[in-house]
Amino acid sequence: MQDVSHLFPDSIALRTMTQTYCQYFDFELVNGRIYAKERGSKEWGLFLKTGLPKVGKNSPSMIREISADADSLYAFDDQGYLYYCYLAKTAPEKPFKWRRRFGFPKDRQFQQSVESSRKRAWSMGARRVEVLYQEDIYGNPHHYGTMGIETFYFLEEDGRCIRFCDSGLPQDFSHSIQVPEDGRLICENISASASTLFVIGNQGSMYTRLIDFDTMGCDPMFFQYTYDQLEQKYPGTNYFSNYSPWALPAEDWKKQPDIKLKGKARLTKMISIAQNGQGNSARELRVGGTNENGEIGYYHKMLNDSEWSFTKADIRLDPESFLDKTKPELAESRLVNYSGYLAKNGENLSDIKCEIKNVDLHSTGECELEISNGDEKYRCTLFLVEKWTYITRDNPGYDGTPRNYFITVECDLSGLDKYSPEFRALISDMFAQKNHALFAVSGEATNGYFHMEFTGGGTQSFIIPIGDYNEYTIFASSGESTDYSPTTFKYLYMLTQPTLRKSISPELILNKDVIYTVRDRAEIEKVIQANELYLKELKHAQKEINKARSSSGLSRWGYSILELVTRVTMLNHINFPKIKQVTSVGGDLLASTEASLIDMANYMTWSSRNIDDLVSLRIKKYEELLDEVTSKSFIAQVDPSLLDSYPEFYAMAGIPSKCSQKDGDGNVTATMEVVEGISYFPGFFIQGSDGSIVLVILEKSASSIVDWLDQRDCFANEGKDKKQWMKENPLEIKAELLTISMQGQGKSILQSIHDIRYEYDKGNVIWDGQDIQVNITTALFSKKQLFIGG
């Protein structure tokens, strides 16, 4: 129950999703309409006469949830659409006017997704003139500026993750914050004010944290940051303190003192936080409950006070809102560990192993990097802050798309004398002058891999290295330690994602053992329609990512023009109004977005093209089945040539699951195997005797095999020899090739073809019923044999 305070009370005791307050007004949601009264007044009335947001001539039919803070009121209607209104002249836009356009760079209406609508709770916080300034982890004050920020925070259904969005971000919930106890606390509720969060667990553990996109370090285009403790010369009341560097890492969760319970005293999950002055500490915390005599009210204190007080209040506390201490408060950790390799100038340093430990995959965090050479181990800390991007996303890190990070290293090089000369030289080159060098490393991560790249030789952040320097790549997976190349691993990882796995879901497949009749017409039509709808979804997903990829190039080009103009006119040395930050960092952000989109577009193109092949063939065979049972024999089974996986199609064509290539002396020089495990992956891998591996991805191989076998059988029916026909008319399929393993220089099969190292190339596969041949394209009409065996 959200209506804790009675109907139209003199004052609202606890903020909820239907009753809330800010510096200027109290608000209550009744029958889908918003009522309001000025703070201190007792007169309630419909807010702005109608109680419903009105934008132009349009109004929603009903409001479901509200939240207010400082000078802002936010509301979601019954369709999950967002509306907001400013309440003071000091706000960035005209007050008492409803708005629905939200976000940046494209302002459009925000709508809750199906997942976010199942939240446990949400709350909005605004930091502007009312709070005036905030302090970083070293107590340095920073003025709010001229615009300030409003952020709304959603606590996920399981209480394990906080998602957020603000007016400077795209309209999604892709940004997230780890809950307390390293992500283990199961939060029962959340409340926010002036970017400070307040959460509570089932055992009554309470935590607060000042955190938003700007203060966590994710916005270097508009703010200066530092990982060093620097003396600031302006007080928070001075506007120019807004330009002083904000200290990182972001403030961590602060555990609040436990409320001491005696007698009949109990706590509920009904909590709220409200700003009531200037600076970080000006926050009042409230927790609904009963005192030792069983009287109803709320416990309260200021943020940094050590003791709680209790005030009796005329409020209602639903029995289900009381904390159940029989339930666990902590869950298992979701931190991810990775292991992998270090490459220097594109060559895998086979003796060096890398581990990245305790990654939380949120918008900010820290983890440990361990680099080992046998028994020698070097450890340092990585601070991660997510890069701003202009594209809308779903659940990066978990849905196949990565989170892109700025990474700052905290490292100590004073004890390198204990290492061997070679290892000492490597670590020194990698990390010399990297300690606290702001965002000197770029990286990306998912729950499957962690990938970071940087230059050696003591380069600083945002500076293009000049002269001789070494390029380093660390690539690690969360499964077994991998030596796969980043390109290949990311592609294989992409294949495991839900959108692609849906291609083999039961609702898309008819049972081949069932004899269908005309009575099954509706079922067959339903499955055909489901497959057609899935193909549309797949094509739409590919279209959207290709559109984003195209726009990324244009955005980056447009930004480069801005950057050039500001550099030529020396405006980039002026930090008012923050031109220097924008021009120093913006190009890197856009480049990261473009690179990720190019990768995703390539992976999606490869994957969807092959899945389209399988599903289109499935639709064709199901339509033939439907025609058979409705207009011909009225009884039929699914064509046995329709198989459920690519390996089955290859077996049907007679292609061996494993074969070898031998030299003139009979020695095996390479092996080729069908890739098992992912039924919709169409390909093989070739492993050379030197250990190098190449992935061979076939194009439209299922339909090509079916057509080829149909032609072969037609000739066989005419009395011709099948084997001879196959020899004269081999199956030929286009292919794309990827280097799998990161080997030392000169060990790549593709490199031996081109005399330079390649990760990707094109070619074809030919099968004549006896031998399988893989060729790689070397020129427009020229190919060279990569493998032949049988």
Side-chain angles (χ1 to χ4, degrees):
M1 183 182 71
Q2 294 292 318
D3 294 337
V4 175
S5 301
H6 291 286
L7 184 65
F8 301 141
D10 289 344
S11 64
I12 291 174
L14 296 168
R15 287 173 158 180
T16 71
M17 290 188 287
T18 58
Q19 296 178 321
T20 188
Y21 61 89
C22 64
Q23 269 83 338
Y24 306 99
F25 289 91
D26 292 339
F27 297 99
E28 180 160 3
L29 190 59
V30 181
N31 295 326
R33 292 179 181 252
I34 303 171
Y35 289 78
K37 73 177 184 67
E38 291 189 36
R39 295 283 282 173
S41 170
K42 295 184 179 181
E43 298 297 323
W44 286 89
L46 286 169
F47 182 59
L48 299 183
K49 297 182 180 181
T50 65
L52 290 173
K54 186 175 182 181
V55 181
K57 297 181 179 180
N58 301 315
S59 291
S61 60
M62 181 178 290
I63 294 298
R64 290 290 191 192
E65 302 160 347
I66 57 174
S67 183
D69 191 47
D71 59 9
S72 303
L73 170 65
Y74 274 54
F76 284 101
D77 69 10
D78 55 346
Q79 302 299 311
Y81 284 106
L82 173 69
Y83 297 85
Y84 61 101
C85 180
Y86 295 119
L87 309 169
K89 293 180 180 180
T90 53
E93 296 184 60
K94 184 178 179 180
F96 303 110
K97 177 182 178 181
W98 283 106
R99 294 168 175 82
R100 62 183 179 186
R101 311 287 282 179
F102 180 86
F104 181 82
K106 294 182 179 179
D107 59 333
R108 58 190 180 196
Q109 192 162 21
F110 188 101
Q111 184 181 26
Q112 294 185 39
S113 64
V114 174
E115 292 76 15
S116 61
S117 66
R118 294 195 293 260
K119 66 210 173 272
R120 286 197 174 186
W122 76 278
S123 187
M124 187 276 297
R127 54 177 177 88
R128 237 181 317 271
V129 68
E130 290 77 13
V131 76
L132 193 61
Y133 61 88
Q134 59 280 341
E135 295 105 343
D136 60 29
I137 56 172
Y138 295 121
N140 296 315
H142 303 269
H143 192 277
Y144 82 95
T146 57
M147 298 294 291
I149 190 172
E150 307 118 61
T151 306
F152 50 90
Y153 307 85
F154 274 52
L155 179 62
E156 284 194 345
E157 187 177 20
D158 64 359
R160 299 286 308 278
C161 178
I162 298 168
R163 298 195 175 274
F164 70 94
C165 188
D166 66 42
S167 55
L169 297 173
Q171 300 85 351
D172 62 34
F173 279 121
S174 63
H175 299 90
S176 63
I177 300 166
Q178 184 188 56
V179 297
E181 297 292 338
D182 290 329
R184 297 178 60 215
L185 183 73
I186 303 171
C187 300
E188 293 299 317
N189 200 2
I190 188 172
S191 184
S193 180
S195 296
T196 303
L197 305 184
F198 181 26
V199 298
I200 188 169
N202 236 328
Q203 301 298 316
S205 298
M206 294 167 288
Y207 296 81
T208 55
R209 186 181 191 185
L210 174 68
I211 188 83
D212 61 33
F213 193 75
D214 295 340
T215 64
M216 66 173 59
C218 297
D219 200 1
M221 282 197 297
F222 294 98
F223 295 92
Q224 296 185 72
Y225 297 107
T226 179
Y227 282 87
D228 295 317
Q229 185 170 357
L230 303 178
E231 183 179 350
Q232 310 290 5
K233 62 181 180 180
Y234 295 111
T237 53
N238 188 314
Y239 170 77
F240 287 97
S241 65
N242 176 257
Y243 292 89
S244 57
W246 183 279
L248 298 176
E251 175 182 303
D252 202 353
W253 287 101
K254 175 183 178 180
K255 190 176 189 307
Q256 291 293 331
D258 292 336
I259 297 176
K260 299 173 184 178
L261 302 177
K262 298 178 181 179
K264 297 179 181 179
R266 294 179 64 194
L267 299 179
T268 70
K269 63 183 178 182
M270 309 310 294
I271 61 174
S272 67
I273 181 174
Q275 56 180 291
N276 59 2
Q278 297 176 353
N280 292 17
S281 62
R283 311 283 190 280
E284 184 191 28
L285 309 180
R286 294 184 180 183
V287 183
T290 58
N291 64 11
E292 58 185 354
N293 299 319
E295 296 170 309
I296 294 176
Y298 58 87
Y299 293 87
H300 57 94
K301 76 177 190 71
M302 293 300 291
L303 184 75
N304 292 330
D305 288 350
S306 58
E307 297 291 335
W308 293 84
S309 300
F310 183 82
T311 296
K312 291 190 294 183
D314 185 18
I315 59 177
R316 298 176 298 176
L317 297 176
D318 192 291
E320 294 183 357
S321 69
F322 283 87
L323 299 180
D324 182 356
K325 291 197 173 185
T326 64
K327 292 182 179 180
E329 189 177 65
L330 299 179
E332 292 184 359
S333 173
R334 289 177 174 172
L335 297 177
V336 186
N337 296 314
Y338 308 82
S339 59
Y341 60 82
L342 170 67
K344 179 180 179 181
N345 299 326
E347 181 179 352
N348 184 359
L349 304 181
S350 56
D351 294 333
I352 305 297
K353 305 300 179 188
C354 295
E355 291 186 66
I356 301 101
K357 303 177 182 179
N358 301 322
V359 179
D360 62 26
L361 283 176
H362 292 290
S363 295
T364 185
E366 63 182 80
C367 57
E368 181 184 79
L369 169 63
E370 180 180 280
I371 302 173
S372 59
N373 178 36
D375 294 333
E376 297 181 299
K377 298 183 185 298
Y378 179 79
R379 298 180 181 90
C380 58
T381 299
L382 306 179
F383 294 110
L384 314 178
V385 294
E386 187 170 17
K387 295 181 179 181
W388 178 84
T389 180
Y390 58 86
I391 61 172
T392 55
R393 301 172 300 169
D394 182 20
N395 190 19
Y398 295 94
D399 62 1
T401 64
R403 285 196 188 273
N404 288 299
Y405 290 110
F406 283 127
I407 301 176
T408 300
V409 182
E410 185 172 79
C411 53
D412 182 4
L413 302 182
S414 61
L416 294 186
D417 289 345
K418 64 182 179 181
Y419 299 123
S420 63
E422 296 80 7
F423 192 54
R424 180 168 64 245
L426 176 66
I427 297 300
S428 179
D429 185 62
M430 291 173 65
F431 298 117
Q433 299 183 39
K434 284 288 195 303
N435 185 51
H436 288 189
L438 186 67
F439 306 157
V441 179
S442 284
E444 64 178 60
T446 70
N447 59 343
Y449 67 85
F450 193 103
H451 182 194
M452 54 188 283
E453 296 188 348
F454 55 99
T455 58
T459 57
Q460 298 294 322
S461 59
F462 304 136
I463 297 176
I464 300 174
I466 300 174
D468 294 332
Y469 59 90
N470 293 310
E471 295 181 345
Y472 292 98
T473 297
I474 292 177
F475 191 82
S477 69
S478 58
E480 294 182 2
S481 181
T482 182
D483 68 348
Y484 281 16
S485 70
T487 301
T488 302
F489 188 97
K490 292 175 186 179
Y491 170 56
L492 294 175
Y493 171 81
M494 178 73 179
L495 288 174
T496 67
Q497 300 313 302
T499 303
L500 303 180
R501 288 204 307 268
K502 185 178 178 180
S503 65
I504 54 173
S505 57
E507 61 266 24
L508 299 184
I509 299 175
L510 291 171
N511 192 330
K512 289 188 289 186
D513 297 326
V514 170
I515 298 175
Y516 293 93
T517 70
V518 68
R519 292 177 177 173
D520 300 308
R521 175 175 185 163
E523 179 187 354
I524 299 171
E525 289 177 335
K526 181 180 178 181
V527 174
I528 291 174
Q529 291 171 0
N531 277 276
E532 291 173 338
L533 179 61
Y534 170 68
L535 281 187
K536 289 181 180 179
E537 293 174 357
L538 197 64
K539 289 176 181 177
H540 176 73
Q542 184 174 0
K543 180 180 178 181
E544 287 299 305
I545 199 165
N546 282 330
K547 184 165 65 175
R549 172 186 172 177
S550 298
S551 67
S552 71
L554 293 174
S555 298
R556 189 180 180 195
W557 179 84
Y559 174 80
S560 297
I561 296 297
L562 168 64
E563 183 179 34
L564 177 62
V565 171
T566 56
R567 285 184 185 278
V568 170
T569 60
M570 301 298 288
L571 288 175
N572 65 323
H573 294 290
I574 303 173
N575 210 21
F576 186 88
K578 302 194 176 182
I579 293 175
K580 187 173 186 295
Q581 270 105 330
V582 174
T583 55
S584 296
V585 187
D588 184 277
L589 294 174
L590 293 172
S592 296
T593 298
E594 183 180 27
S596 290
L597 288 171
I598 288 173
D599 284 345
M600 292 302 302
N602 287 337
Y603 305 148
M604 180 61 79
T605 297
W606 292 338
S607 303
S608 60
R609 182 170 57 206
N610 296 318
I611 289 177
D612 183 280
D613 182 35
L614 273 181
V615 177
S616 295
L617 183 60
R618 184 188 299 160
I619 292 172
K620 176 184 176 183
K621 294 299 181 181
Y622 288 173
E623 287 176 338
E624 292 174 358
L625 172 69
L626 182 64
D627 183 55
E628 190 71 26
V629 300
T630 57
S631 60
K632 295 181 180 178
S633 65
F634 305 111
I635 184 171
Q637 285 182 275
V638 177
D639 189 333
S641 69
L642 178 63
L643 303 173
D644 296 326
S645 71
Y646 278 110
E648 290 177 291
F649 277 106
Y650 303 150
M652 184 172 68
I655 299 173
S657 60
K658 183 176 182 178
C659 56
S660 301
Q661 174 179 271
K662 299 180 180 180
D663 60 18
D665 298 325
N667 299 313
V668 175
T669 58
T671 59
M672 181 170 173
E673 294 185 47
V674 173
V675 175
E676 304 281 357
I678 304 178
S679 61
Y680 46 84
F681 175 74
F684 307 81
F685 66 88
I686 301 172
Q687 183 165 0
S689 57
D690 61 359
S692 60
I693 307 175
V694 170
L695 192 67
V696 183
I697 309 168
L698 305 185
E699 182 178 332
K700 295 186 177 181
S701 54
S703 54
S704 297
I705 287 172
V706 170
D707 292 342
W708 184 67
L709 291 178
D710 284 345
Q711 294 177 42
R712 183 200 66 179
D713 293 342
C714 286
F715 278 86
N717 291 336
E718 297 175 4
K720 297 182 179 180
D721 181 75
K722 286 185 178 182
K723 290 185 178 181
Q724 184 60 34
W725 182 87
M726 290 162 60
K727 204 72 173 169
E728 296 172 355
N729 302 274
L731 173 67
E732 183 175 342
I733 305 173
K734 292 181 180 179
E736 291 170 316
L737 301 97
L738 291 173
T739 299
I740 291 185
S741 56
M742 286 287 289
Q743 301 293 328
Q745 190 72 19
K747 292 186 178 180
S748 168
I749 294 178
L750 301 186
Q751 186 258 347
S752 67
I753 297 292
H754 290 284
D755 297 326
I756 57 174
R757 186 175 181 83
Y758 270 77
E759 276 196 27
Y760 166 79
D761 223 316
K762 291 187 176 183
N764 67 355
V765 172
I766 298 174
W767 166 245
D768 64 3
Q770 182 175 345
D771 293 317
I772 187 166
Q773 181 177 332
V774 180
N775 300 307
I776 191 167
T777 303
T778 56
L780 184 60
F781 299 107
S782 176
K783 289 182 171 59
K784 188 169 183 177
Q785 182 177 295
L786 180 65
F787 176 93
I788 186 168

